[in-house]
Amino acid sequence: MNTAVTSREEILTVCRQLVAASGLAAVNMRKVAQQCQVALGSLYYYFPSKDELLLATVESVWDDIFNCAAPTDAAIPFDRYITNFFENIKRGILKYPNFFTVHSLSFSTRGQAEGRAKMQKYLAKMKAHMLQVLQKDQAVRPDAFSAAFTEDKFVDFIIMHVISLLLQKNFDCTTLTEIIRRIIYCN
């Protein structure tokens, strides 16, 4: 017998399952309450509006997609980190079809701004992780970066290309990692 969902995290787990199966459009207050086996009023206790539920769901999906992308304490070469990062995001895209292209369309005007802000938060987190890995990589050429070509600008370039590949559903990052190797490592 299924038991009723009783926590915010359990509700978000159900929401992630709905997104994975049917997309973000499947997440609405009545359907989520039904799937969680709780009264609609109980759901409103945790999420006062549909926008609040959608924003929390989007953030939860982003967390699920990026949870494995954080660097570990162990040093990892930057090119390998990017390959692993790309693979983690690819798995997330396959788990949540069309999430990257349509999730911002499901919000009210106020919700769209908050949705973009959450996405920017995750992009900033990705960038910080990438910079951390890049700066720890002992194999990077000492002259790889300059005042005009900074680590920060390089990581922005990498993020832009990772996102571009993924939005095109091009799941091969070998050219990108080869460019990284040629730019920052000695031959």
Side-chain angles (χ1 to χ4, degrees):
M1 180 170 115
N2 292 339
T3 58
V5 171
T6 58
S7 75
R8 178 181 170 87
E9 194 48 49
E10 289 174 313
I11 293 167
L12 290 174
T13 298
V14 168
C15 290
R16 285 192 308 274
Q17 292 167 351
L18 287 170
V19 171
S22 304
L24 194 60
V27 178
N28 66 62
M29 298 300 271
R30 289 192 191 285
K31 185 165 193 155
V32 171
Q34 178 186 19
Q35 292 288 316
C36 292
Q37 298 179 342
V38 298
L40 190 56
S42 297
L43 188 60
Y44 277 104
Y45 172 77
Y46 292 102
F47 303 98
S49 69
K50 180 181 178 185
D51 275 351
E52 294 288 329
L53 178 64
L54 287 173
L55 286 167
T57 300
V58 166
E59 187 167 20
S60 183
V61 170
W62 279 100
D63 281 341
D64 190 32
I65 291 171
F66 293 116
N67 69 350
C68 296
T72 63
D73 290 333
I76 180 173
F78 185 72
D79 60 331
R80 189 173 331 140
Y81 173 78
I82 295 300
T83 299
N84 295 345
F85 176 81
F86 189 87
E87 290 301 315
N88 286 331
I89 296 175
K90 179 175 86 172
R91 276 191 291 279
I93 287 173
L94 295 173
K95 183 176 180 179
Y96 301 103
N98 299 317
F99 178 75
F100 276 82
T101 56
V102 300
H103 73 270
S104 64
L105 302 177
S106 301
F107 299 107
S108 66
T109 304
R110 180 182 145 268
Q112 285 178 358
E114 290 179 29
R116 277 192 299 277
K118 289 198 183 293
M119 187 175 81
Q120 291 301 320
K121 172 185 143 186
Y122 279 93
L123 290 173
K125 187 187 295 187
M126 288 171 24
K127 182 176 180 176
H129 289 166
M130 284 184 192
L131 279 168
Q132 179 184 0
V133 172
L134 181 62
Q135 291 164 351
K136 285 184 177 180
D137 189 343
Q138 297 296 313
V140 173
R141 287 190 350 251
D143 65 340
F145 299 103
S146 67
F149 182 63
T150 64
E151 292 170 333
D152 192 68
K153 289 178 183 178
F154 180 64
V155 167
D156 284 340
F157 172 86
I158 299 302
I159 290 171
M160 178 183 69
H161 283 82
V162 165
I163 291 171
S164 177
L165 287 170
L166 294 169
L167 288 175
Q168 295 172 45
K169 301 211 186 299
N170 179 347
F171 297 131
D172 179 7
C173 72
T174 55
T175 301
L176 180 61
T177 53
E178 183 61 25
I179 289 168
I180 291 168
R181 287 183 196 107
R182 289 177 185 227
I183 290 173
I184 67 172
Y185 299 122
C186 295
N187 295 334

